Amino acid sequence: MPPRKKPPSLQTSCLKRIGGLFKASCVRIINDIMAVLEREGITMSFAQAKALKSSLLSDPLTQIQQCFFVDTAYYFHEHILIECLVALSDLLNDYDEPSSETITAFISPKTPCFENNNQPRLIQRTKKEMVLEFLDIFCYPGAFIKRIDISIDKLGSRWKLHKSIINGLSDRLIHMPMLEELNFGHWSCRRLGLLSDHNQSEGWPLEFLTNLKVLKLHDVSQRFFQSVGSYCHWNLRKLHIFNSDITDTVTWWVSKCQNLETIELFEDREVTPIGYAQLLRSNPNLRSLGRCDCFGKVLSLLYDPCSLYRRSYVNMPEHLNLEEIDTNGQLDPIGTSSPSFCYLSKTTFFHRTEASDSKMSQFEAYQIQIFAYQQ
């Protein structure tokens, strides 16, 4: 049967309904709490009303977490998290839009609690604050979240989540110690203040994510990489950073991640061959260097007998375990006469130069030469 006519499985159908069920439960809980606050909150102070709201939310949050996560296999937790995030985002968008009741309330208040024109706005704000409280169901030990991926590739047409949901999720990462993969996709960490304390102490939540193995982020500062080198030096395996300030200082901090296997530093125009040489010297087990347009110069720095960089360090690795290199730069520094080839294991170059057939055949010759030295 063709895939387009294949009916969805029972598992897929159930997972798609979780979002609607979760959203309906949130709306009902919020309306019930708002009714209590409207009835009893008139004579209360702000602190008393806030405490009452928290106490009223506690039991429903525990019950929802019990139903969706505690009593559910760990395998489904990632899918449930995505559906719940989308549902909460839709709910916040609904509260952002002015409803007919809100407009009527400005003209003729329905209840005595509407004593001024700001009251409807306060009610909407209170509802939005309660929506964000539902993010607590993703926290450990009730939920066992090992992977968070909110990129466009994962969410598809539902990628545009509410910004408050992204911020709230980032604030709760310290309560997800089992997290192994974090991908915030296109969301700008600096613009939204993700993984930071009001753009201060950037990357501090990484200290609590001791099991993190894959990290994919967009738009981070150099100070963030200092946290990566300090807190992720043991378990981190893959690091993908887009549109950020990448310099030789960054590669120095990243080189402290001793078990790093794949690294992609996009927009790395300020990284010199020395920065990449430092990264490869400290991480000889690195399998993919990502985009590196100066790879020939990097090898010359590492293994050319006349290189001042090579003579400055004693602990130079005998060979590199690189398997993939993406480059559009000149490969001449590692030509057939270069002794640097004998320090490469089986490596595949992805040469992006729009070149003629003669240059491409020369590039293929480089690959053949590598395999010849390996044999």
Side-chain angles (χ1 to χ4, degrees):
M1 182 179 295
R4 61 179 180 178
K5 295 183 179 180
K6 186 178 181 180
S9 63
L10 180 60
Q11 174 181 316
T12 303
S13 301
C14 292
L15 289 174
K16 287 183 178 180
R17 287 185 172 272
I18 286 178
L21 177 63
F22 179 67
K23 182 178 179 180
S25 301
C26 293
V27 171
R28 186 180 68 255
I29 294 170
I30 291 174
N31 290 337
D32 292 343
I33 294 177
M34 289 303 301
V36 176
L37 292 177
E38 184 178 347
R39 184 176 63 252
E40 301 182 7
I42 300 177
T43 59
M44 290 184 177
S45 65
F46 173 78
Q48 291 174 332
K50 186 177 181 180
L52 177 60
K53 181 183 67 175
S54 300
S55 63
L56 293 174
L57 266 174
S58 178
D59 289 341
L61 289 178
T62 303
Q63 293 173 5
I64 291 177
Q65 189 182 60
Q66 182 76 26
C67 178
F68 283 7
F69 291 100
V70 177
D71 295 339
T72 308
Y74 296 150
Y75 173 80
F76 298 105
H77 286 192
E78 176 193 349
H79 306 281
I80 296 174
L81 177 136
I82 294 298
E83 297 300 325
C84 292
L85 288 177
V86 173
L88 291 176
S89 179
D90 293 341
L91 192 55
L92 279 180
N93 290 328
D94 294 341
Y95 288 148
D96 282 339
E97 297 176 359
S99 61
S100 58
E101 294 181 0
T102 303
I103 297 176
T104 305
F106 281 102
I107 302 174
S108 56
K110 292 185 176 181
T111 61
C113 68
F114 295 124
E115 297 178 357
N116 55 65
N117 290 341
N118 291 327
Q119 194 66 24
R121 300 178 187 175
L122 291 175
I123 291 179
Q124 293 296 97
R125 182 177 180 84
T126 303
K127 289 183 177 180
K128 292 168 64 175
E129 290 175 352
M130 282 193 285
V131 169
L132 296 178
E133 294 292 335
F134 283 93
L135 291 171
D136 291 345
I137 67 172
F138 305 137
C139 297
Y140 185 83
F144 199 87
I145 306 298
K146 301 182 68 174
R147 184 170 184 257
I148 296 178
D149 186 354
I150 54 176
S151 62
I152 298 179
D153 295 336
K154 180 67 175 180
L155 298 183
S157 59
R158 306 184 298 173
W159 65 270
K160 200 170 184 179
L161 299 175
H162 198 282
K163 293 181 181 179
S164 298
I165 295 296
I166 307 299
N167 282 313
L169 182 63
S170 175
D171 294 339
R172 288 162 175 80
L173 288 177
I174 61 175
H175 302 294
M176 303 179 188
M178 298 299 152
L179 192 65
E180 296 182 358
E181 179 176 347
L182 177 61
N183 184 359
F184 273 137
H186 64 287
W187 295 101
S188 173
C189 291
R190 276 191 286 192
R191 184 176 301 176
L192 297 179
L194 305 179
L195 295 170
S196 66
D197 185 8
H198 302 287
N199 289 327
Q200 302 295 324
S201 303
E202 297 184 36
W204 68 270
L206 297 178
E207 181 180 2
F208 301 90
L209 303 179
T210 56
N211 294 306
L212 192 65
K213 297 180 180 179
V214 180
L215 184 60
K216 300 181 180 180
L217 300 174
H218 177 84
D219 189 20
V220 298
S221 68
Q222 294 188 28
R223 290 177 297 178
F224 177 82
F225 291 97
Q226 183 175 352
S227 298
V228 172
S230 301
Y231 304 132
C232 304
H233 58 277
W234 183 251
N235 287 325
L236 193 64
R237 298 292 188 273
K238 296 182 180 180
L239 179 64
H240 297 253
I241 303 295
F242 301 83
N243 192 25
S244 303
D245 297 333
I246 311 296
T247 62
D248 287 350
T249 304
V250 167
T251 59
W252 186 83
W253 280 109
V254 173
S255 65
K256 293 182 176 295
C257 302
Q258 297 297 317
N259 294 315
L260 199 63
E261 297 177 355
T262 302
I263 183 171
E264 289 277 0
L265 300 177
F266 297 90
E267 304 295 332
D268 57 347
R269 299 184 181 92
E270 298 184 12
V271 180
T272 66
I274 295 178
Y276 281 112
Q278 168 68 23
L279 188 62
L280 291 174
R281 183 181 66 84
S282 303
N283 304 78
N285 294 324
L286 202 63
R287 297 181 181 178
S288 176
L289 191 59
R291 183 70 172 267
C292 180
D293 295 335
C294 56
F295 185 69
K297 296 179 180 179
V298 174
L299 277 185
S300 297
L301 286 174
L302 289 173
Y303 296 114
D304 192 334
C306 299
S307 171
L308 292 176
Y309 182 87
R310 176 178 174 81
R311 286 184 287 178
S312 301
Y313 293 95
V314 179
N315 56 338
M316 198 67 64
E318 295 182 1
H319 66 276
L320 302 176
N321 291 320
L322 287 174
E323 297 178 358
E324 294 181 358
I325 301 171
D326 187 355
T327 179
N328 67 353
Q330 296 293 329
L331 296 175
D332 294 339
I334 55 171
T336 55
S337 60
S338 173
S340 302
F341 267 113
C342 59
Y343 299 101
L344 284 172
S345 59
K346 184 177 180 181
T347 306
T348 301
F349 287 89
F350 295 97
H351 200 233
R352 296 181 177 272
T353 305
E354 296 179 0
S356 60
D357 294 339
S358 60
K359 290 185 178 180
M360 288 304 295
S361 61
Q362 183 183 13
F363 165 66
E364 293 173 358
Y366 288 151
Q367 286 187 307
I368 295 174
Q369 185 69 21
I370 291 175
F371 297 137
Y373 272 101
Q374 184 186 12
Q375 294 175 356

